[in-house]
Amino acid sequence: MNVFSHPDFDDHERVIFGCDPQSGLKAIIAIHNTNLGPALGGCRMWPYSSDEEAVRDVLRLSRGMTYKSALANLPLGGGKAVIIGNPRQHKTADMMRAMGRLIESAGGRYITAEDSGTSVPDLKVMAEETRYVAGIKDKIGVDGLQRSGDPSPSTAYGVFIGLKSAVQYRLGRSDLAGLKVAIQGVGNVGFRLAKQLKDAGAELWVTDIYDDMVQRCVHELGATAVAADEIYSLPVDVFAPCALGSVLNDHSIAQLKATVVAGAANNQLELPIHGEQLRQRGILYAPDYAINSGGIIDVCYEHLGNQNAGALNQHIESIHDTLTEIFARADREQRSTQVVADQVAKERFSNPEGRLSNLTHQVA
Ligand code: NAD
């Protein structure tokens, strides 16, 4: 298996392969770039069908974290860890402790967090062996109340801010009363987004694969329930994907009547060309990793021990400025918002001089 000549290898600073035969741990940590700070990113546990598949995932995901943190103006780099195995069958406390030791061996260059297949209790076990774990402490949320390490409320708040920015940019309105929004997936983030939109006067259409999630929106928020395949073609202003990746593809883009796409889901574009297709159809797309960065901002504040809810809110609200810069530059340069987001992120992490002191000051 190749690493240095792998198509997803992008000058990653370190790729650490770890094995602990006693607990059965086989894991990889990829540290993509630490120009702006230590590499923070989740630890995923997944039954990869081959080592190659795990390497591909960890290389791509760690690179994505560098871009996400840079775009969110955080003093963090990008990294990710993967554990090869089925979380329902193979996960044990011993394995999580072995993972903690592997993370510790990176000497703080990599900080882990929750991801698919790992949970806050797993991270707490890793934390018995390493200091470099984020997202496990109770904290004050955006609403001023004590809450767990779950970053979903901050993600939802950031998506709400970003959705408003996109609406203001494309539709020229700052008031959401009567705005029509279709939400795909009303779980942790989607439901909270729906609630904020409802409070701001928007009209909602929702779908989810679980009927109880949909009914909660119907009864508590007066939303209209729609079937899964109807969500794309609704005559609404905004489509908010908050469920799964690759939802913006040839099939869905052709159906969209919304002129704004702004939602929480990761990796919304099936292929880079779909960003361009949206642009050509006159649909303003808020790049996923820019609009859903409230969660990483939240985890970063926790990691830095910053309990100032006002400062956290303000930082999340800066998603508005980043998105507006991306939208304006995409228009000027006649390029897709995704391409421009990548460019802005790259500029931020490639030229850290002069930024870090500011950032540290901003977050401290
Ligand atoms: P979640 O699992 O709580 O909610 C997702 C919802 O989508 C679930 O209710 C699920 O039933 C529904 N769903 C799945 N497939 C669907 C389909 N085909 N059609 C309609 N509904 C479907 O997850 P979440 O934490 O709310 O995250 C939502 C998205 O946002 C994910 O893509 C996640 O990666 C991304 N994201 C989340 C956070 C966070 O802080 N939770 C941060 C950044 C990005």
Side-chain angles (χ1 to χ4, degrees):
M1 177 182 34
N2 294 323
V3 176
F4 293 122
S5 55
H6 192 286
D8 292 305
F9 184 76
D10 180 50
D11 293 337
H12 287 69
E13 289 176 15
R14 288 187 188 198
V15 183
I16 302 167
F17 290 80
C19 177
D20 178 61
Q22 230 170 2
S23 65
L25 177 76
K26 281 188 189 148
I28 314 170
I29 297 173
I31 298 172
H32 174 249
N33 185 291
T34 58
N35 281 359
L36 292 173
L40 192 146
C43 175
R44 178 168 291 192
M45 182 164 183
W46 191 254
Y48 293 103
S49 57
S50 66
D51 297 353
E52 282 83 354
E53 202 191 315
V55 167
R56 178 170 183 265
D57 214 23
V58 81
L59 291 177
R60 289 165 62 121
L61 293 168
S62 57
R63 179 180 183 274
M65 290 308 298
T66 302
Y67 281 72
K68 184 169 191 163
S69 287
L71 208 50
N73 279 326
L74 295 172
L76 293 174
K80 204 86 183 185
V82 296
I83 299 175
I84 300 171
N86 185 326
R88 290 177 181 231
Q89 291 168 2
H90 305 130
K91 197 180 353 173
T92 61
D94 273 354
M95 183 185 278
M96 295 302 107
R97 275 189 280 273
M99 188 64 204
R101 289 192 292 278
L102 186 67
I103 292 163
E104 184 67 22
S105 75
R109 282 183 185 80
Y110 169 66
I111 301 162
T112 203
E114 189 181 347
D115 205 286
S116 315
T118 60
S119 61
V120 170
D122 298 328
L123 293 180
K124 287 186 172 169
V125 178
M126 291 182 203
E128 292 172 17
E129 304 284 342
T130 181
R131 292 155 281 173
Y132 306 117
V133 178
I136 54 175
K137 292 185 199 137
D138 288 350
K139 52 197 161 192
I140 307 296
V142 284
D143 49 9
L145 300 173
Q146 182 87 10
R147 65 174 175 83
S148 76
D150 175 11
S152 303
S154 293
T155 304
Y157 183 52
V159 174
F160 176 66
I161 295 291
L163 188 151
K164 281 206 297 187
S165 311
V167 165
Q168 194 170 24
Y169 192 88
R170 171 58 83 240
L171 303 173
R173 52 183 286 190
S174 47
D175 150 32
L176 303 189
L179 186 84
K180 296 181 166 61
V181 184
I183 307 180
Q184 180 185 49
V186 277
N188 283 321
V189 179
F191 179 73
R192 288 182 169 95
L193 171 67
K195 186 156 181 355
Q196 290 170 83
L197 288 167
K198 170 72 185 171
D199 291 345
E203 281 181 63
L204 306 174
W205 283 258
V206 300
T207 190
D208 198 288
I209 49 174
Y210 294 112
D211 193 49
D212 53 335
M213 308 301 267
V214 171
Q215 290 311 320
R216 181 168 63 154
C217 294
V218 171
H219 294 123
E220 292 182 27
L221 309 176
T224 303
V226 297
D229 55 356
E230 270 180 72
I231 197 80
Y232 303 114
S233 58
L234 294 171
V236 293
D237 302 300
V238 180
F239 170 54
C242 296
L244 65 171
S246 298
V247 287
L248 299 172
N249 50 42
D250 290 347
H251 170 75
S252 63
I253 292 173
Q255 297 181 60
L256 285 178
K257 296 199 178 70
T259 49
V260 168
V261 174
N266 278 316
N267 305 319
Q268 293 172 28
L269 298 174
E270 185 178 58
L271 297 168
I273 185 70
H274 293 118
E276 182 55 24
Q277 275 182 22
L278 287 165
R279 187 182 82 81
Q280 287 182 5
R281 285 215 46 212
I283 298 169
L284 183 65
Y285 168 59
D288 46 15
Y289 73 91
I291 192 171
N292 73 15
S293 62
I296 186 85
I297 296 172
D298 186 310
V299 170
C300 177
Y301 271 62
E302 181 210 301
H303 182 71
L304 294 171
N306 189 326
Q307 293 263 8
N308 183 336
L312 172 63
N313 269 8
Q314 240 183 348
H315 200 133
I316 295 172
E317 285 159 10
S318 73
I319 289 173
H320 166 80
D321 301 330
T322 297
L323 279 177
T324 306
E325 178 186 344
I326 292 168
F327 296 153
R329 193 160 154 183
D331 268 350
R332 267 197 319 273
E333 298 176 6
Q334 295 289 295
R335 294 194 295 165
S336 77
T337 51
Q338 180 77 21
V339 167
V340 170
D342 288 351
Q343 186 60 37
V344 172
K346 202 164 186 170
E347 287 162 8
R348 290 184 182 180
F349 72 77
S350 303
N351 306 302
E353 258 88 287
R355 299 190 65 81
L356 273 184
S357 53
N358 251 347
L359 292 167
T360 314
H361 175 71
Q362 187 183 337
V363 175

